[in-house]
C-alpha cells in the first residue's frame, strides 16, 4: 500500500524532468503518474529539484494550509516547477493539460516525520 509520502513523490516529484520545449509534458506525466485514472485531476504541480531540497522545506516554520491545518511550510528559495492544468472542455477519459514551467516558492504539508505529504501551493 502506498504511503502518503510515496504518494507525494509520485504526484509531485520529477527531479530530473525538464518540461522545456515539450508542450506534451503534462499530458504524458499526468497519465504516467496515474492522475488520469477514474477522473482527470484538474490541477497538479511537478517539482524539478532534488528530493532532499523538497524535504528540507519541512524544517521551515509552520504556516496555515489552505484546508486550515497548520502543518504547511513554505520554501525559502524559488524552485523549478511545472504547473499542469486541465484544458477547458477536456473530458475524461481524454485528459488534456496545459504545461506551464515556472520558478517560485512552494508550500507543502509535512507529516510528523517531517516528510512532505501534500502540495498546497
Ligand atoms: P484553482 O483554485 O482552480 O485556480 O487552483 C489553483 C490552486 O491549486 C492554487 O491555490 C494552488 C493549488 N495547487 C497547485 N498545484 C497543486 C497540486 O499539485 N495539488 C493541489 N492540491 N493543489 C495545487
Ligand atoms: P495533493 O494535494 O495533490 O498533494 O494531494 C495529496 C493528499 O494530501 C490528498 O489526499 C489530500 C491530502 N491533504 C490535503 N491537505 C492536507 C494537509 O493539510 N495535510 C495533510 N497531511 N494532507 C493533506
Amino acid at each position: 500500500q502506498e504511503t502518503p509520502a510515496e504518494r507525494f513523490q509520485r504526484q509531485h516529484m520529477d527531479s530530473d524532468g525538464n518540461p522545456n520545449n515539450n508542450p506534451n509534458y503534462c499530458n504524458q506525466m499526468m497519465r504516467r503518474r496515474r492522475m488520469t485514472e477514474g477522473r482527470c485531476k484538474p490541477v497538479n504541480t511537478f517539482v524539478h529539484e532534488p528530493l532532499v531540497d523538497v524535504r528540507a522545506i519541512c524544517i521551515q516554520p509552520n504556516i496555515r494550509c489552505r484546508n486550515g491545518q497548520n502543518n504547511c511550510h513554505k520554501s525559502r528559495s524559488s524552485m523549478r516547477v511545472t504547473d499542469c492544468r486541465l484544458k477547458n472542455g477536456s473530458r475524461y477519459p481524454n485528459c488534456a493539460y496545459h504545461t506551464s514551467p515556472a520558478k517560485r516558492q512552494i508550500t507543502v504539508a509535512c507529516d510528523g516525520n517531517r516528510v512532505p505529504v501534500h502540495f498546497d501551493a
Side-chain angles (χ1 to χ4, degrees), residues 2-97:
E2 187 176 49
T3 65
E6 289 168 344
R7 177 186 160 93
F8 177 90
Q9 290 188 47
R10 171 171 60 83
Q11 294 195 129
H12 303 295
M13 290 305 302
D14 186 24
S15 300
D16 301 323
N18 183 351
N20 291 345
N21 306 316
N22 180 7
N24 277 315
Y25 175 85
C26 287
N27 292 336
Q28 295 166 347
M29 285 294 286
M30 292 298 287
R31 187 175 67 234
R32 195 178 292 158
R33 298 295 183 87
R34 307 200 310 278
M35 288 179 275
T36 60
E37 296 176 6
R39 67 160 196 160
C40 309
K41 186 177 180 181
V43 180
N44 189 74
T45 304
F46 289 101
V47 184
H48 311 296
E49 301 290 349
L51 182 59
V52 287
D53 294 344
V54 176
R55 285 199 176 128
I57 300 170
C58 295
I59 65 179
Q60 292 300 313
N62 285 64
I63 59 172
R64 188 176 301 255
C65 309
R66 283 187 290 143
N67 73 355
Q69 287 185 251
N70 276 306
N71 63 328
C72 276
H73 308 263
K74 186 174 189 174
S75 66
R76 278 166 51 111
S77 40
S78 294
M79 296 193 155
R80 287 166 292 149
V81 299
T82 299
D83 300 311
C84 298
R85 180 175 292 271
L86 196 62
K87 288 185 176 174
N88 282 333
S90 175
R91 291 289 176 269
Y92 182 81
N94 301 113
C95 307
Y97 289 91

